């Protein structure tokens, strides 16, 4: 939205007080007599400021610079309303993470996932037995016969569909 330099100064003062930080107003004039104002605040308060500006009625509010990539860190002297909003955002993020973990856990417990896990374990066992058989020089020994029998069972189980 278009605001005058005076309104921008008032808004900057309000935002600085809200976040408890310093900041400045940078103005630049273009050739047509129009003036652009940029508000700069110290620290990482992007999410809190976006929230405050939207409550003030500004609709075209966006984060820019490095603040868009990092989490907001509210200082100890932030107003109660801002702290509560920040706490609510953190709770929502935590709930989303917990729901995603629960979904992943439930997905890993499906019969298909269990069968896939068993199949992968049998493939590992097969590879391990093959390595052990390659090291045995005397193929007629009792150890070699046991390993060969185990290897045949594993291969047979891999060829058949697994069942619980």
């Amino acid at each position: 939205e278009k605001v005058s330099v005076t309104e921008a100064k008032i808004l900057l003062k309000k935002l600085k007080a809200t976040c408890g930080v310093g900041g400045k107003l940078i103005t630049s004039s273009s050739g047509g007599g129009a003036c652009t104002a940029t508000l700069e605040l110290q620290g990482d308060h992007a999410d809190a400021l976006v929230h405050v500006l939207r409550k003030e009625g500004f609709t075209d509010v966006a984060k820019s610079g490095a603040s868009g990539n990092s989490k907001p860190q509210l200082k100890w002297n932030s107003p109660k309303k801002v702290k509560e909003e920040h706490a609510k955002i953190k709770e929502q993020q935590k709930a989303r993470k917990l729901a995603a973990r629960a979904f992943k856990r439930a997905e890993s417990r499906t019969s298909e996932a269990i069968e896939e896990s068993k199949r992968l374990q049998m493939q590992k066992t097969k590879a391990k037995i093959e390595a052990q058989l390659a090291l045995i020089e005397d193929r007629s020994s009792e150890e070699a016969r046991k390993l060969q029998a185990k290897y045949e069972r594993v291969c047979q189980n891999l060829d058949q569909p697994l069942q619980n």
Side-chain angles (χ1 to χ4, degrees):
E1 287 86 42
K2 303 269 186 195
V3 294
S4 68
V5 175
T6 308
E7 291 172 328
K9 286 180 182 178
I10 294 169
L11 180 61
L12 177 65
K13 187 174 182 176
K14 184 182 277 188
L15 293 174
K16 287 175 14 180
T18 299
C19 293
V21 297
K24 63 182 177 178
L25 179 69
I26 301 171
T27 56
S28 60
S29 337
S30 57
C35 183
T36 338
T38 303
L39 304 177
E40 282 191 4
L41 293 167
Q42 296 171 342
D44 185 14
H45 302 283
D47 289 334
L49 292 171
V50 167
H51 177 73
V52 170
L53 287 170
R54 287 194 177 138
K55 277 191 170 185
E56 289 288 321
F58 291 91
T59 55
D60 188 23
V61 179
K63 296 187 277 186
S64 68
S67 63
N69 299 328
S70 58
K71 296 179 183 176
Q73 296 178 344
L74 299 176
K75 304 295 181 199
W76 63 271
N77 60 349
S78 295
K80 184 178 178 182
K81 193 180 350 176
V82 175
K83 285 182 184 178
E84 289 171 352
E85 182 63 29
H86 179 69
K88 187 170 36 167
I89 290 170
K90 285 190 93 166
E91 278 299 315
Q92 290 170 347
Q93 289 171 344
K94 186 177 179 181
R96 280 194 298 271
K97 282 182 183 178
L98 288 174
R101 280 190 203 141
F103 178 76
K104 190 174 182 180
R105 193 177 315 114
E107 193 176 60
S108 71
R109 293 180 182 165
T110 63
S111 58
E112 294 87 10
I114 292 170
E115 285 187 25
E116 179 65 16
S117 175
K118 287 180 181 179
R119 187 183 64 74
L120 290 173
Q121 185 59 45
M122 277 197 227
Q123 287 177 341
K124 288 179 184 177
T125 302
K126 179 182 173 186
K128 183 178 175 183
I129 294 171
E130 287 172 344
Q132 289 173 340
L133 283 171
L135 295 175
I136 295 178
E137 293 175 12
D138 182 14
R139 295 285 177 160
S140 62
S141 71
E142 182 66 26
E143 180 185 2
R145 281 195 299 272
K146 286 181 180 179
L147 274 175
Q148 188 63 38
K150 186 175 181 180
Y151 180 76
E152 290 169 4
R153 283 193 311 271
V154 169
C155 288
Q156 184 181 14
N157 284 335
L158 278 171
D159 290 339
Q160 297 174 1
L162 297 174
Q163 297 176 351
N164 291 339

